[in-house]
Amino acid sequence: MDSFKRFFLTYRRILALAYRVNPSYLVLLTIISAFWGLTNLPILYINKILLDLVISSIGHPNWEVVARTIIWIAILRAGIEFARSFLSRYQNAVTNLLTSQISNKIEIMLGVKLNTLDIPTIESPVFQDKYKKVSRESNQRVWGMLSPLSDFPNAIFTIISGAIPLFTFNPLITLVIIAASLPEAFVSGRLAKLEYRDRDSLNKEYRIWGWISWLITDTRQIYENKLYDTANYVTAKLNALQEKVEEINRALRFRRVKWRTFTDVPLTLLVIGLNSYFFILALIGRITLGSAQMLYQAANTLTNGFNMVVQNIAVVYENYLFVQDFTWFMDLVPKLSSGTKILPDKLHTGIVFDHVFFKYPTSTDWVLKDVSLSINPTDNVAIVGENGAGKTTLLKLLLGLHSPQKGQILINGLPVHEYNLQKLWHKISVLQQDFHLFPLSARESIAFSDLSRVNNLSEVKQAAKLAEIDAYIETLPLKYETPLNKELEHGVDPSGGQKQRIGLARTMFRKSNIMILDEPTSNVDPKAEEEIFENVLKITRDQILMLVSHRFSTVRKADRILVLENGTVSESGSHEQLMKQKGTYSELFTLQAKSYQ
Ligand code: ADP
């Protein structure tokens, strides 16, 4: 009962979705379908009348009168058939339009929803498997659950059309036909369940398939693929996956053929029985030949109608199992809570990490161990440490993207998660290590951090100047309107260093009170780096700057340097203080300085 309720609620939800997308199409489809089903009945009767008229009028002296009637009946029948084929074409067109509108809507819904979820949820492998399935299947499955809807009225009226003549002749025949259709109904439900289970077992394979296929078909990887000659190795892996999936597909298809053949047996026996029965009745004169023909056709219409209902229920059910994944996704609530507090424009107490311990859901050990630090509202702090020391993780925690298991992180005296995170992020300017440039113009790419000012070209230019990328943009074919992707007309692909400067310009464009830069200038040439960093220091004079960098020439300019080792802050102080300590910082600094001599 519970599962019925769930099914009903899901169906209602999907229907409401289609109704929101295009109410008139949905209503139109239902009406057309009902009308189509209903036209079966007059056709049955017209055929009967035609046949009986011809048989009773054979050898009639006034055959011209009968012939005229025959012509009128033929015109009527052709008229109905004409209307039916017009409606069918019209229904196809409307169905296609509605399908694509629903699929567009779902694409947007998935994107918007994904953006509301928290990072730990999104990064979990279980979520990834399921989400890939949702994004792969949802479009088609939601429509799959709805499309029978337009067939149901047709099926119901087809059943009524077939049932009326049969029921008036002998109600028992109707019952026999229902009984013969039952095995089909049972088998269809069972097959839908098995198919869902089998496809579900392939989630991981489909996910890896997606990766590999992207790796070998996306042109951005072409350099690596060519130079390392990876195509053969990777395609062999893809081939193995494809074979595994195909094997399950094959089993699934043949299982369907086998069971359908089995359920066709009672229906075939029924057709033989009814065919013989009606025509023998006509032979012995109990009914007219027209009636025999009509009853036989009515039985066919009725079985077709039942078949349609059973098939459609099976389609709805099969798609429902997948649509449940879609509704699961749409109903996910972020695990990391976001509060209501708003960060003021001016900070009073800065940032505090208070005995913070953190590990990722998949890590075996602490990634951050007992990290305590405090940063004043106008401090600039550089964080150094080996790869994997936990620098990026520390920044992610500060942004509230993950939550520490022990200890707390305060911004301006309040724990991060008491803030409305969306609004908090508006006040923090972040440049990540692996940030993406969308295929947008240079102006939009820079204004990406505050799109409300996307048309303010002079401020965009100002940010570009600070990041020393203005001169480069001015040389581009369309200057600030040049798309930063050479696959687009007049587009260009900036170099690694130029890309980083655009990222920096973007970060500096946002009016924030905390700036976080994670390896912002690793690809920028040292001279430009120094100048850009001077600019960064200038504009962050009244705010917090947190900088992760391996370039000690930049790092040394920070007010304070934190050394992170194995998830713990091992040293903290200015360049001069740390050099005097002769610890890890001084060792690394000297090593780098030597290599430049
Ligand atoms: P750093 O920035 O100092 O190079 P990170 O903070 O990126 O180091 O990583 C610290 C450790 O956490 C590494 O061992 C890394 O493998 C692990 N790690 C980073 N991100 C994740 C993640 N999303 N899930 C699991 N482990 C992660």
Side-chain angles (χ1 to χ4, degrees):
M1 207 55 224
D2 212 35
S3 53
F4 259 120
K5 195 172 156 200
R6 206 169 48 225
F7 172 80
F8 179 72
L9 289 178
T10 310
Y11 207 96
R12 203 177 64 178
R13 192 163 159 187
I14 298 301
L15 212 69
L17 169 72
Y19 191 78
R20 269 203 312 279
V21 168
N22 198 326
S24 45
Y25 277 4
L26 197 66
V27 172
L28 202 64
L29 276 181
T30 316
I31 295 174
I32 294 177
S33 163
F35 187 76
W36 170 274
L38 205 60
T39 50
N40 280 309
L41 190 59
I43 287 184
L44 283 179
Y45 275 107
I46 288 171
N47 285 348
K48 167 193 154 54
I49 291 167
L50 195 64
L51 203 60
D52 282 345
L53 184 69
V54 171
I55 287 174
S56 64
S57 309
I58 289 174
H60 201 284
N62 273 343
W63 67 272
E64 288 95 341
V65 181
V66 181
R68 220 170 287 137
T69 319
I70 290 176
I71 291 171
W72 279 117
I73 294 177
I75 290 174
L76 183 65
R77 194 168 72 171
I80 297 176
E81 291 292 359
F82 187 82
R84 273 164 72 98
S85 66
F86 166 75
L87 287 178
S88 151
R89 243 172 272 132
Y90 195 76
Q91 185 178 10
N92 265 342
V94 174
T95 304
N96 278 336
L97 289 173
L98 189 60
T99 314
S100 70
Q101 286 178 359
I102 291 181
S103 134
N104 293 349
K105 172 90 181 170
I106 288 178
E107 194 172 353
I108 290 177
M109 283 169 76
L110 292 179
V112 169
K113 179 69 192 181
L114 185 68
N115 270 290
T116 66
L117 294 178
D118 55 294
I119 302 291
T121 300
I122 294 174
E123 284 184 351
S124 94
V126 177
F127 172 87
Q128 287 288 333
D129 275 349
K130 233 171 152 177
Y131 174 66
K132 285 277 152 40
K133 183 166 60 151
V134 168
S135 57
R136 194 179 58 236
E137 303 265 358
S138 287
N139 284 346
Q140 153 200 4
R141 295 300 179 176
V142 166
W143 179 245
M145 208 174 155
L146 280 174
S147 67
L149 183 83
S150 62
D151 273 341
F152 271 126
N154 175 8
I156 302 295
F157 283 105
T158 303
I159 288 176
I160 294 175
S161 299
I164 289 176
L166 280 174
F167 206 79
T168 32
F169 178 70
N170 185 349
L172 206 64
I173 293 177
T174 321
L175 291 181
V176 173
I177 293 176
I178 296 177
S181 305
L182 284 181
E184 173 97 11
F186 174 75
V187 166
S188 292
R190 181 99 198 104
L191 282 176
K193 229 178 200 160
L194 289 176
E195 289 196 16
Y196 175 79
R197 187 203 60 192
D198 290 349
R199 287 194 198 281
D200 202 46
S201 70
L202 291 172
N203 280 342
K204 201 172 109 229
E205 280 74 12
Y206 276 126
R207 179 146 69 98
I208 300 173
W209 183 330
W211 278 341
I212 299 184
S213 150
W214 175 73
L215 268 175
I216 57 174
T217 56
D218 192 276
T219 50
R220 276 166 294 185
Q221 277 78 247
I222 198 73
Y223 287 106
E224 268 160 285
N225 285 342
K226 267 182 178 303
L227 298 176
Y228 291 129
D229 197 11
T230 45
N232 286 341
Y233 182 76
V234 179
T235 43
K237 276 184 187 284
L238 181 58
N239 208 357
L241 276 176
Q242 286 173 333
E243 275 175 16
K244 183 170 177 195
V245 171
E246 274 317 304
E247 200 180 303
I248 293 195
N249 240 338
R250 216 173 10 248
L252 209 128
R253 298 270 158 222
F254 287 123
R255 184 166 59 208
R256 198 164 260 258
V257 172
K258 192 172 81 190
W259 280 99
R260 285 257 185 271
T261 315
F262 176 70
T263 56
D264 267 352
V265 172
L267 285 172
T268 313
L269 291 177
L270 187 77
V271 167
I272 298 173
L274 290 179
N275 211 349
S276 318
Y277 177 59
F278 293 136
F279 286 101
I280 289 171
L281 286 184
L283 180 72
I284 58 175
R286 293 265 298 279
I287 52 174
T288 63
L289 188 58
S291 298
Q293 170 72 9
M294 179 189 67
L295 287 170
Y296 173 62
Q297 273 181 358
N300 266 347
T301 308
L302 189 62
T303 27
N304 280 346
F306 277 129
N307 239 325
M308 235 194 279
V309 170
V310 168
Q311 297 292 342
N312 279 326
I313 290 178
V315 170
V316 171
Y317 182 62
E318 186 187 329
N319 287 297
Y320 162 66
L321 296 173
F322 286 91
V323 167
Q324 273 181 309
D325 295 328
F326 170 69
T327 52
W328 159 83
F329 174 71
M330 292 309 294
D331 291 341
L332 276 179
V333 274
K335 270 195 236 131
L336 284 185
S337 58
S338 173
T340 53
K341 297 280 185 335
I342 307 287
L343 195 69
D345 284 335
K346 202 144 183 62
L347 303 189
H348 305 294
T349 56
I351 294 167
V352 174
F353 274 63
D354 180 17
H355 298 288
V356 168
F357 285 79
F358 173 75
K359 59 167 96 171
Y360 289 101
T362 48
S363 0
T364 44
D365 221 342
W366 293 116
V367 175
L368 294 182
K369 279 178 288 217
D370 201 12
V371 171
S372 288
L373 52 97
S374 85
I375 300 170
N376 293 323
T378 56
D379 277 359
N380 57 62
V381 177
I383 306 169
V384 297
E386 288 179 356
N387 294 331
K391 304 179 293 292
T392 304
T393 304
L394 187 130
L395 299 177
K396 285 194 218 165
L397 257 65
L398 172 65
L399 288 164
L401 297 172
H402 290 275
S403 225
Q405 279 82 9
K406 282 197 255 177
Q408 58 175 352
I409 300 158
L410 310 173
I411 302 182
N412 205 41
L414 289 175
V416 174
H417 287 278
E418 287 194 16
Y419 287 103
N420 175 319
L421 289 179
Q422 206 67 48
K423 294 197 171 137
L424 177 74
W425 296 331
H426 281 200
K427 301 206 167 171
I428 302 179
S429 210
V430 186
L431 179 59
Q432 277 182 297
Q433 244 179 88
D434 52 355
F435 77 98
H436 294 284
L437 275 187
F438 286 46
L440 299 172
S441 68
R443 173 178 54 83
E444 291 168 297
S445 302
I446 292 174
F448 210 61
S449 58
D450 183 1
L451 288 165
S452 64
R453 286 153 55 225
V454 69
N455 292 321
N456 191 334
L457 187 61
S458 70
E459 287 190 342
V460 169
K461 278 188 177 183
Q462 202 185 334
K465 278 185 186 136
L466 289 171
E468 307 220 329
I469 192 67
D470 172 63
Y472 165 72
I473 296 175
E474 290 291 349
T475 66
L476 299 180
L478 303 175
K479 302 195 157 92
Y480 277 81
E481 297 312 315
T482 312
L484 297 183
N485 188 321
K486 75 167 183 290
E487 285 163 27
L488 300 175
E489 206 180 351
H490 302 302
V492 291
D493 269 350
S495 72
Q498 287 161 339
K499 195 177 144 204
Q500 277 192 334
R501 293 189 205 198
I502 289 166
L504 266 160
R506 169 190 293 181
T507 319
M508 293 198 260
F509 181 72
R510 174 173 275 197
K511 295 186 162 92
S512 58
N513 41 24
I514 299 174
M515 187 181 282
I516 294 177
L517 304 176
D518 194 351
E519 296 269 10
T521 47
S522 51
N523 290 320
V524 174
D525 40 293
K527 188 172 157 288
E529 185 190 24
E530 213 149 296
E531 287 163 9
I532 295 172
F533 193 62
E534 288 297 336
N535 291 338
V536 170
L537 286 178
K538 229 183 280 167
I539 71 160
T540 55
R541 207 170 280 146
D542 297 327
Q543 54 173 284
I544 291 177
L545 168 68
M546 291 180 79
L547 163 82
V548 169
S549 179
H550 290 291
R551 298 269 188 102
F552 284 82
S553 50
T554 313
V555 168
R556 65 179 297 174
K557 296 204 174 86
D559 294 338
R560 188 144 53 102
I561 298 152
L562 300 173
V563 181
L564 214 59
E565 280 180 288
N566 299 322
T568 316
V569 181
S570 58
E571 294 169 29
S572 163
S574 68
H575 170 74
E576 288 69 26
Q577 287 168 335
L578 293 189
M579 287 308 281
K580 264 189 218 137
Q581 272 186 24
K582 300 216 173 302
T584 307
Y585 178 82
S586 119
E587 192 184 317
L588 292 174
F589 182 88
T590 317
L591 201 68
Q592 206 172 79
K594 247 193 212 148
S595 67
Y596 278 115
Q597 276 166 8

